[in-house]
Amino acid sequence: MRPIVKYRLLFLAFAIVLFTIGVQLTPESLATANDELRLSLIAIGYFGLIPLAYWYCIIKKGSQKWWKLIIILSTSSLVARLSFPADIADYFEFVAWLKYPIIGVLLIIESFLVFTIIRGLLKVRKVKGDPRVSAVEVYADEDEKALSIAFIVAGEPTNWYYAIPWFSRNHPTAISHIKLLSAKPWHLLLMLIGCLTSCVASYMILVNWSELAAIIVPSIISLTLVMLVANYRISRHYSLYIIRDRLVVNNAIWGFMAIDINEIETVAVNQATKKVVDDELSIGRGEQTNLTIRFKTPQWYFGGLGQLVEKLTVVHINVAEPEKVVAALTDIEQSEAA
């Protein structure tokens, strides 16, 4: 697991534990000095420790923007509004004022998603191959920000392209398959159950607060179903293939590389133990990888659906048939040399 992911999970676990303990220990009233001390410590946790952890794990280690601290401070304020004694919770009444702006934002997001889906479906009818490959080809020489935005914009058409088999019927055949957990049918089933459960849970939580929000939020969450199906089909059928002189590496739908074959220095079949090294990445299940690809110049890797962009010099992959990958790349090199 890469360090940036570890820090995100560490913060998530820390915040959940601290919020849970805080809610359980919050006194119903401030009848004694002990109650005041306990509430003060809980407030320090909510508005001191948790934001500090967010700054270190997400902003500093994850290279995110400072303004995102508003997110966690708003969350702490909401928890305080709902759990603190009434005379203290009134100071957080401003959170309730956010109800209508939040609904307005949700409506804008919903409208944008509908527009994006329609536009994506229209585009994907004629696209040749993964839309993300086209984005990399067009913006490969641009700066990181332009490339990242182009990749993210290509995300929605990609989901529909892979989720509906008819759209991807002319997709290049995989030269091998990366060993991924997301390629298992039972994994897809669990993810679908989790998504549907989240839809139902979000509706039940929000319906007493706002019926409109209770409809909008589950509908947005339900769009994840398309991505989950696309994730499964990519992992199972299209995790490693060649298109237009590019070797495409799909670490499920979450991670992506479109490597110019001319930029590959060496490709070798070997057994390597996974380890965390700067400018290197290991992909695939298991403690070891069996294919190592080195690049002449660093190549873009799009992690976290394009949110985490970095350059790599070496990729270690655990594939089903590493010899086929080497043979395919060798044949291309020999044909170009001829």
Side-chain angles (χ1 to χ4, degrees):
M1 185 181 295
R2 298 181 68 73
I4 191 171
V5 178
K6 289 182 179 179
Y7 280 112
R8 287 171 180 260
L9 293 177
L10 178 64
F11 167 74
L12 181 61
F14 177 75
I16 290 175
V17 170
L18 209 57
F19 277 135
T20 302
I21 293 175
V23 171
Q24 295 296 323
L25 298 181
T26 297
E28 295 184 1
S29 62
L30 301 179
T32 65
N34 185 48
D35 291 337
E36 294 179 359
L37 175 61
R38 194 194 315 172
L39 187 64
S40 298
L41 293 176
I42 292 172
I44 291 173
Y46 286 0
F47 299 100
L49 297 181
I50 291 179
L52 182 62
Y54 187 89
W55 168 80
Y56 182 77
C57 296
I58 306 299
I59 294 177
K60 183 179 179 180
K61 293 297 183 178
S63 301
Q64 300 297 308
K65 302 297 183 182
W66 275 88
W67 65 264
K68 292 188 176 181
L69 270 172
I70 296 174
I71 298 173
I72 196 62
L73 289 172
S74 299
T75 303
S76 295
S77 298
L78 178 60
V79 174
R81 173 68 180 84
L82 298 176
S83 62
F84 278 15
D87 51 342
I88 301 298
D90 288 341
Y91 290 103
F92 298 94
E93 185 64 28
F94 68 89
V95 176
W97 300 345
L98 299 176
K99 174 179 179 178
Y100 297 106
I102 289 174
I103 293 176
V105 171
L106 290 175
L107 283 172
I108 294 173
I109 294 174
E110 181 84 354
S111 301
F112 176 75
L113 286 175
V114 172
F115 168 75
T116 303
I117 290 170
I118 294 174
R119 183 186 63 179
L121 287 173
L122 291 174
K123 285 185 176 181
V124 83
R125 292 181 306 141
K126 299 180 180 180
V127 72
K128 295 182 179 179
D130 191 327
R132 297 172 298 174
V133 177
S134 300
V136 172
E137 289 175 337
V138 174
Y139 292 92
D141 296 328
E142 302 290 335
D143 58 35
E144 179 181 334
K145 183 177 180 180
L147 181 59
S148 179
I149 292 174
F151 186 88
I152 293 172
V153 170
E156 186 62 33
T158 299
N159 290 338
W160 291 97
Y161 176 76
Y162 283 110
I164 300 176
W166 187 79
F167 287 152
S168 52
R169 63 192 184 281
N170 297 321
H171 195 285
T173 303
I175 54 179
S176 186
H177 300 290
I178 302 175
K179 296 180 180 179
L180 297 169
L181 183 64
S182 52
K184 304 295 183 181
W186 60 264
H187 182 271
L188 173 63
L189 179 62
L190 289 179
M191 295 299 289
L192 293 177
I193 292 174
C195 181
L196 293 174
T197 302
S198 299
C199 290
V200 174
S202 62
Y203 178 84
M204 296 178 66
I205 292 172
L206 294 172
V207 68
N208 293 327
W209 182 65
S210 170
E211 292 187 0
L212 184 58
I215 294 174
I216 295 175
V217 172
S219 66
I220 294 175
I221 295 175
S222 66
L223 292 175
T224 308
L225 294 171
V226 178
M227 185 178 66
L228 293 177
V229 175
N231 181 58
Y232 168 73
R233 296 194 70 244
I234 287 175
S235 301
R236 190 169 182 84
H237 303 294
Y238 309 115
S239 56
L240 197 64
Y241 65 91
I242 295 174
I243 181 173
R244 298 192 291 274
D245 292 330
R246 287 185 181 271
L247 175 65
V248 177
V249 180
N250 277 314
N251 187 7
I253 202 171
W254 311 100
F256 173 89
M257 295 187 78
I259 307 160
D260 187 341
I261 292 178
N262 295 320
E263 293 297 327
I264 295 178
E265 181 177 359
T266 61
V267 54
V269 177
N270 59 1
Q271 295 291 330
T273 302
K274 288 184 177 180
K275 55 184 178 180
V276 178
V277 180
D278 290 341
D279 301 329
E280 296 187 15
L281 178 66
S282 297
I283 301 174
R285 296 183 65 195
E287 296 297 325
Q288 292 186 324
T289 57
N290 54 19
L291 184 72
T292 297
I293 304 176
R294 295 183 180 274
F295 311 126
K296 297 176 183 177
T297 58
Q299 299 294 301
W300 290 110
Y301 176 77
F302 301 86
L305 298 174
Q307 297 291 333
L308 305 174
V309 183
E310 57 184 318
K311 281 194 170 182
L312 304 174
T313 57
V314 181
V315 173
H316 307 279
I317 313 174
N318 190 13
V319 301
E321 299 170 300
E323 294 81 5
K324 283 190 175 182
V325 181
V326 175
L329 294 174
T330 302
D331 289 343
I332 292 176
E333 182 180 353
Q334 291 176 348
S335 63
E336 290 181 350

